[in-house]
C-alpha cells in the first residue's frame, strides 16, 4: 500500500487526529521550537512557513495576535532561582494564599569605585568556597539591597566585572567593578554608606557612577597604575660565600671580569661581625641606606621596561610567539627613598596599558637582581628575545594597585553629555577617582602602608625572599653577569628537565602571617604547572 494512503487511513481511524504525532515534542534549539511545546516544525515546509509555529524561551508563541489567552506560564519571569520557593511562576499561577513577593526594583548599569587591603583574601575575582574581594563585596551588596535576592545566588545575573584582577593578597587604593545594581532602595538615603556598613573596614566603596549599558569594566579601561614598595636593603650585593655568590663567581671567567659585588671589600659585608646571625644581619640591613649612584642605576634600568615589548619572560603560560605578550608600558618612575621606622623604603610607580599574570612582580625582580649584582640594564632587552629564562617573583607584600584609568570612556561620555544636564536621565558622569582622593589616601595610609610596614618589621618578608635567592646555586640566574647577556646554561628548554630549577615559594604570595615564625617555617614550593591559556585573559589587569 502507498505510504501516504496508509497514513491517511490512520488519521481517519482516529477521528481526524494524527495518532503518530506525540502530544509534546522535544526539538533541537535550531529547529525553533522550545522544549515542551506542542508546536511542530514540518521539515518539508519552507523555513519561513514554520516561523509562526515557533515559541519563545518562555513557552509563548512568538505572535499571539487573535489568539485566546490561555493563562499559560502566568507570572513566569526569567532569571529566578529555581530553588527559591517564593519565585514567581512556581507551580503555575499565583494563589490567594501565596505570600506576596517583594516588588522588583529597577537596576542600573553602574561602575562601583572601591578600595581594599588584600590581606586575607584569595585575590580580587569571585571564586567558589574561598574568600575574595568580590565575594565579600557582592554579599554586602545583597544585604544592603543593592542586589536583589533573585540575583543573590549568581553574580553573572548582574553582569559583574572588574577593571583589574589583583592577585592573592594584593592591595588596591582604587579599583572598579561594573554591574547592574539597585541604586534606589526604599528607606535608604545613601546606598554607598549602606553598603559600607555591611563591609569590613579593609574594603571600602568610594562611590558609584551610572555608565552606559554597553560598559565593560575591563574593556573600557585604558590603562592601570600600580606601585611597588620595597626596602632598599634588597640592593645590598649577595653575601660572599653564599651559593649565588659562588655560582656567579664561577661564571666570572676571562670573558667576564670580576664583578664589583664579588669583591669581599664591599662596605656592608666587610663590616660584618664574625659571629653574626640572620637576625643581627637583618638589623644591620635595616640601618643601611642606598647611595645616590644606586638610585640613579635603578632609574636608568627601569627605563628599559617603557614602551612596547614582548613580556613572555615576565609571566607564565605564554610562548614567545603569542601576540598577547606585547604590552605597552606608558611610564615608570622611581621615587626618592624614604625612612619609616628603622627601614628605608623606595617605591616604583608603573603605568601600563595592561599587565599579565605576575608581570609586575617579575619586572621588579629583574630590576632588583640586576642592580644588586651590577648586571648591565641591557639584560632586560635580552629577556624580550625568544630565549626563555626563569625570572623569580618578588613578594606580593609590596604591590599596590593605585587605580585604573578610563580616559577614552570619559571622552566618549563628554561628547554625549554636551547637550544634557546632570539631572537628565541620559546623562553619564565621567569616571573620576580624584574626587575621592582624600579618602583613598587616608585608607592607603591606615590599611595598606602601615599594614605593609608592620608585617615587614615583624616578619622580615623581603629579607626572607632575598635569602632564598642568595641560597640558590643552580644555573637559572647566570644571566646576572657583567656582559648583560643570557648564557646558554641559563636558557630553559621546553620539555627538558633542569637539574636545579629555581622555584618560587608560595609563602611570598601571602601578605600577612599569623605568627612571626610562619615566614621561615612555611617551605612549600610552587611546582611547575601547565597553565590553561584560555583562562589567562581573566588574570590580567
Amino acid at each position: 500500500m502507498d505510504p501516504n494512503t496508509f497514513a491517511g487511513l490512520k488519521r481517519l481511524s482516529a477521528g481526524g487526529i494524527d495518532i503518530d504525532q506525540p502530544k509534546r515534542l522535544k526539538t533541537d534549539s535550531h529547529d525553533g521550537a522550545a522544549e515542551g511545546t506542542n508546536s511542530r516544525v514540518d521539515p518539508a515546509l519552507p523555513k519561513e512557513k514554520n516561523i509562526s509555529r515557533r515559541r519563545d524561551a518562555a513557552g509563548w508563541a512568538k505572535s499571539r495576535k487573535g489568539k485566546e489567552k490561555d493563562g499559560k506560564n502566568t507570572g513566569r519571569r526569567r532569571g529566578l532561582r529555581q530553588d527559591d520557593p517564593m519565585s514567581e511562576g512556581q507551580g503555575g499561577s499565583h494563589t490567594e494564599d501565596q505570600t506576596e513577593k517583594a516588588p522588583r526594583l529597577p537596576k542600573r548599569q553602574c561602575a562601583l569605585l572601591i578600595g581594599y587591603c588584600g590581606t586575607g583574601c584569595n585575590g580580587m575575582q569571585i571564586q567558589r568556597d574561598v574568600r575574595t574581594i568580590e565575594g565579600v563585596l557582592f554579599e554586602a551588596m545583597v544585604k544592603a539591597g543593592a542586589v536583589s535576592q533573585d540575583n543573590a545566588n549568581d553574580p553573572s545575573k548582574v553582569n559583574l566585572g572588574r577593571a583589574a584582577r589583583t592577585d592573592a593578597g594584593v592591595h588596591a587604593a582604587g579599583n572598579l567593578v561594573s554591574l547592574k545594581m539597585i541604586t534606589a532602595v526604599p528607606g535608604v538615603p545613601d546606598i554607598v554608606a549602606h553598603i559600607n556598613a555591611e563591609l569590613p573596614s579593609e574594603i571600602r566603596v568610594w562611590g558609584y557612577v551610572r555608565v552606559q549599558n554597553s560598559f565593560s569594566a575591563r574593556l573600557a579601561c585604558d590603562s592601570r597604575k600600580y606601585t611597588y614598595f620595597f626596602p632598599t636593603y634588597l640592593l645590598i650585593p649577595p653575601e660572599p660565600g653564599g651559593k649565588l655568590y659562588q655560582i656567579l663567581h664561577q661564571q666570572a671567567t676571562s670573558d667576564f671580569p670580576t664583578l664589583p659585588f664579588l669583591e669581599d671589600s664591599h662596605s656592608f659585608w666587610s663590616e660584618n661581625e664574625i659571629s653574626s646571625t640572620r637576625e643581627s644581619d637583618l638589623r644591620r640591613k635595616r640601618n643601611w641606606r642606598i647611595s645616590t649612584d644606586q638610585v640613579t642605576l635603578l632609574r636608568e634600568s627601569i627605563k628599559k621596561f617603557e614602551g612596547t615589548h614582548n613580556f613572555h619572560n615576565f609571566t607564565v603560560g605564554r610562548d614567545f610567539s603569542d601576540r598577547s605578550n606585547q604590552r605597552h608600558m606608558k611610564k615608570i618612575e622611581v621615587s626618592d627613598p624614604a625612612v619609616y621606622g628603622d627601614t628605608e623604603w623606595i617605591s616604583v610607580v608603573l603605568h601600563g596599558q595592561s599587565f599579565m599574570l605576575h608581570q609586575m612582580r617579575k619586572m621588579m625582580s629583574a630590576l632588583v637582581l640586576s642592580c644588586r649584582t651590577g648586571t648591565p640594564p641591557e639584560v632586560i632587552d635580552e629577556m624580550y628575545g625568544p630565549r626563555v629564562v626563569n625570572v623569580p617573583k618578588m613578594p606580593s607584600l609590596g604591590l599596590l594597585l593605585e587605580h585604573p584609568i578610563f580616559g577614552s570612556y570619559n571622552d566618549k561620555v563628554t561628547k554625549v553629555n554636551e547637550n544634557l544636564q546632570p539631572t537628565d536621565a541620559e546623562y553619564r558622569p565621567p569616571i573620576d577617582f580624584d574626587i575621592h582622593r582624600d579618602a583613598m589616601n587616608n585608607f592607603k595610609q591606615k590599611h595598606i602602608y602601615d599594614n605593609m610596614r608592620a608585617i615587614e618589621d615583624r616578619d622580615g618578608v623581603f629579607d626572607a625572599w632575598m635569602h632564598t635567592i642568595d641560597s640558590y646555586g643552580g644555573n637559572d640566574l647566570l644571566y646576572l653577569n657583567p656582559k648583560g647577556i643570557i648564557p646558554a646554561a641559563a636558557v630553559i628548554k621546553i620539555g627538558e628537565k633542569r637539574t636545579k630549577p629555581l622555584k618560587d615559594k608560595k609563602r611570598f604570595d601571602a601578605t600577612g602571617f599569623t605568627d612571626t615564625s610562619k615566614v621561615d617555617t612555611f617551605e612549600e614550593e610552587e611546582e611547575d604547572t601547565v597553565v590553561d591559556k584560555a583562562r589567562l585573559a581573566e588574570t590580567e589587569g
Side-chain angles (χ1 to χ4, degrees), residues 336-351:
D336 292 330
V339 177
Y340 299 96
D342 295 331
T343 306
E344 184 181 57
W345 292 75
I346 201 164
S347 64
V348 178
V349 179
L350 304 98
H351 182 191

Side-chain angles (χ1 to χ4, degrees), residues 370-385:
S370 61
C371 288
R372 75 188 294 256
T373 58
T375 303
E378 285 71 25
V379 71
I380 296 175
D381 292 327
E382 289 276 307
M383 292 177 178
Y384 299 140

Side-chain angles (χ1 to χ4, degrees), residues 109-350:
Q109 185 73 7
C110 295
L112 210 63
L113 283 62
I114 65 173
Y116 50 86
C117 171
T119 301
C121 284
N122 195 40
M124 168 70 178
Q125 191 170 1
I126 198 165
Q127 303 174 51
R128 186 182 297 274
D129 300 328
V130 293
R131 188 174 189 266
T132 66
I133 300 297
E134 281 185 349
V136 176
L137 175 64
F138 188 76
E139 182 179 356
M141 295 184 71
V142 172
K143 291 179 179 178
V147 173
S148 69
Q149 290 296 326
D150 286 345
N151 299 324
N153 67 323
D154 187 359
S156 65
K157 292 180 179 179
V158 292
N159 297 335
L160 183 67
R162 78 280 324 152
R165 178 198 177 277
T166 51
D167 292 342
V170 175
H171 317 298
N175 201 350
L176 183 146
V177 296
S178 58
L179 76 164
K180 292 181 178 179
M181 64 176 283
I182 300 169
T183 59
V185 178
V188 177
D190 187 344
I191 188 62
V192 171
H194 200 50
I195 296 172
N196 280 330
E198 300 292 345
L199 285 169
S201 60
E202 65 269 19
I203 303 177
R204 294 288 90 185
V205 175
W206 307 127
Y208 76 91
V209 296
R210 283 285 310 278
V211 291
Q212 295 178 325
N213 291 336
S214 60
F215 180 85
S216 167
R218 185 170 70 89
L219 298 179
C221 182
D222 294 329
S223 58
R224 291 91 174 163
K225 274 189 177 181
Y226 285 84
T227 298
Y228 194 92
F229 293 89
F230 64 93
T232 58
Y233 69 68
L234 292 186
L235 278 301
I236 297 173
E239 181 179 7
K243 290 183 179 180
L244 180 64
Y245 178 96
Q246 292 176 359
I247 194 69
L248 296 182
H249 190 279
Q250 295 172 8
Q251 180 80 351
T253 61
S254 57
D255 293 332
F256 295 91
T258 303
L259 297 176
F261 82 86
L262 293 175
E263 299 175 3
D264 294 346
S265 60
H266 184 273
S267 59
F268 180 85
W269 296 114
S270 63
E271 299 171 0
N272 194 24
E273 301 174 1
I274 298 176
S275 59
S276 67
T277 63
R278 280 189 61 187
E279 290 75 15
S280 63
D281 284 346
L282 179 55
R283 285 194 295 269
R284 293 178 60 243
K285 289 176 181 178
R286 286 173 172 164
N287 290 321
W288 182 82
R289 300 296 179 252
I290 192 173
S291 68
T292 303
D293 290 343
Q294 286 176 304
V295 174
T296 301
L297 179 59
L298 278 176
R299 288 173 173 157
E300 291 176 353
S301 299
I302 202 74
K303 293 297 180 183
K304 290 290 184 179
F305 289 123
E306 291 186 345
T308 302
H309 305 286
N310 188 327
F311 285 93
H312 72 104
N313 272 317
F314 298 90
T315 185
V316 295
R318 301 282 190 180
D319 300 325
F320 171 75
S321 59
D322 288 352
R323 295 182 62 184
S324 58
N325 298 329
Q326 299 290 333
R327 300 297 163 117
H328 182 71
M329 299 298 111
K330 293 176 174 289
K331 189 175 184 180
I332 306 178
E333 297 178 297
V334 177
S335 70
D336 292 330
V339 177
Y340 299 96
D342 295 331
T343 306
E344 184 181 57
W345 292 75
I346 201 164
S347 64
V348 178
V349 179
L350 304 98

